[in-house]
Each structure stands twice: as C-alpha cells, then as structure tokens.
Amino acid sequence: MQDKVMLKIVKEAIESVLYKKSVDKGLYLSLYPELKQKGAVFVTINKRKSLRGCIGSLVAHRTLFDDLVENAISAGFKDPRFAPLSMQEYESGDLSIEVSVLSEPKPLVYSDVEELKSKIRVGVDGVILTLDGHRATFLPQVWEQLPEFELFFSHLCQKAGLEGECIQRHPNIEVYEVKKIR
C-alpha cells in the first residue's frame, strides 16, 4: 500500500469532522485489504513546525484503517493540550500531518542506567516508560528536539507524571520503531 493512501485517510478523517463528510471505509478496504490488519499508528499535526496535536496507539488493537481514522480525529479535535482544529486553521495551509506506523513494542532488559544508555538507539528507538502505574511514550522523532539521553529521559519521566530522575528507579522500558509518513 502506498504511503499516500494512509495520509489521504487521515486527511479525510479530519475533514469528516470539519465538513460533516464520511470516509468510505468499504472502498478503502476493498482497494487495500492490508488496511484490515491490526495496526498501531500515531497521527501528529504540526502548525508551522510546532506541535498542534498528537494522538496514537502503542499497541495494535484494531484495524489499521480504524486506527488511522480514530487517531486522526483525536489528534485534530481531542488532544487535551490544544483547542479543536477549526476550519480556518485547517484551510490556512499552515498545517502538516505525519503518520507514524509503530512496530510492536519490545521490552528492553537492562541492569542499570549505563546499560540502558548503551542499548538505546538515539534517533531510532521510540520509548515507552512505565513506573508505579505511570506511563508515557516518546516517538523516535522526539530525539530531534531532545538528542541527549539524559534530557530525553528526564522529559519522558516528567511526561509520565514522575520526577525527572525517575530513570534511577529502574522503570520498565519498551522500545519500538516507526515508519514515518509525511
């Protein structure tokens, strides 16, 4: 399946809310049967290179088609950090959309922070951190803004609602890769 198809589905999902249209699921599934397979995606909306919305799934729990549609709508209209997209904003030409298709997360076994540091692939690994009932993830793209291991993990701990040094408490770490589509 072409990357353009996934982007088209995401745009149509956003437009389904803005213009009260529908996405033709039957047509897409008949043309691209691979959309019936389970898949996990994040949809990121940027406005002039600043984050405008980002919602996704860490684990494949529904069809790729449904995950694209639901996460596109959530990124555009339900990200609690931002107001819902307006029609004017969408039509302004200032937005860019990125889809990240996630591989299945794999546990990363490590004994201490130094070993973790040696196993993490900066710029390649997306990271899921779990500790004491708190959980957060950063897509691999976040390494572009936070290229240093300590800074990346400090922000990830804070995103999870933990202290910035939570990595010292040996949280569970899972890693995944993404295929980026812009």
Side-chain angles (χ1 to χ4, degrees), residues 5-138:
V5 172
M6 284 196 257
L7 283 174
K8 190 169 191 285
I9 292 168
V10 166
K11 288 178 182 175
E12 285 184 20
I14 291 169
E15 290 170 3
S16 75
V17 173
L18 290 172
Y19 307 122
K20 309 291 184 249
K21 297 169 28 176
S22 62
V23 185
D24 192 340
K25 182 177 182 175
L27 177 65
Y28 278 110
L29 295 182
S30 68
L31 292 173
Y32 307 98
E34 58 271 33
L35 290 169
K36 296 176 187 174
Q37 297 173 4
K38 286 190 176 183
V41 301
F42 266 75
V43 175
T44 304
I45 302 171
N46 288 303
K47 183 175 183 177
R48 295 189 205 102
K49 301 192 181 192
S50 293
L51 184 64
R52 178 58 184 83
C54 183
I55 301 283
S57 302
L58 291 172
V59 178
H61 65 283
R62 56 187 166 200
T63 67
L64 180 55
F65 179 87
D66 288 338
D67 213 49
L68 285 163
V69 169
E70 292 302 319
N71 290 331
I73 291 170
S74 293
F77 305 98
K78 298 177 184 173
D79 188 325
R81 299 169 290 181
F82 303 98
L85 273 177
S86 68
M87 204 177 300
Q88 295 78 9
E89 195 175 17
Y90 183 74
E91 294 171 351
S92 71
D94 291 337
L95 301 179
S96 61
I97 296 173
E98 181 175 285
V99 175
S100 299
V101 183
L102 279 64
S103 67
E104 185 179 338
K106 303 278 186 231
L108 187 78
V109 179
Y110 67 101
S111 57
D112 57 28
V113 174
E114 283 308 307
E115 184 179 8
L116 176 62
K117 192 172 185 176
S118 72
K119 288 184 170 184
I120 289 287
R121 298 171 300 162
V122 173
V124 176
D125 288 330
V127 179
I128 303 167
L129 178 146
T130 309
L131 181 66
D132 296 338
H134 296 263
R135 183 175 177 155
T137 190
F138 276 156

Side-chain angles (χ1 to χ4, degrees), residues 51 81 117 120-127 129 136-160 164:
L51 184 64
R81 299 169 290 181
K117 192 172 185 176
I120 289 287
R121 298 171 300 162
V122 173
V124 176
D125 288 330
V127 179
L129 178 146
T137 190
F138 276 156
L139 295 170
Q141 296 90 305
V142 174
W143 288 107
E144 295 166 18
Q145 285 86 45
L146 303 170
E148 297 164 16
F149 176 91
E150 291 79 8
L151 199 57
F152 182 93
F153 275 93
S154 173
H155 279 79
L156 184 57
C157 287
Q158 291 170 15
K159 183 180 179 188

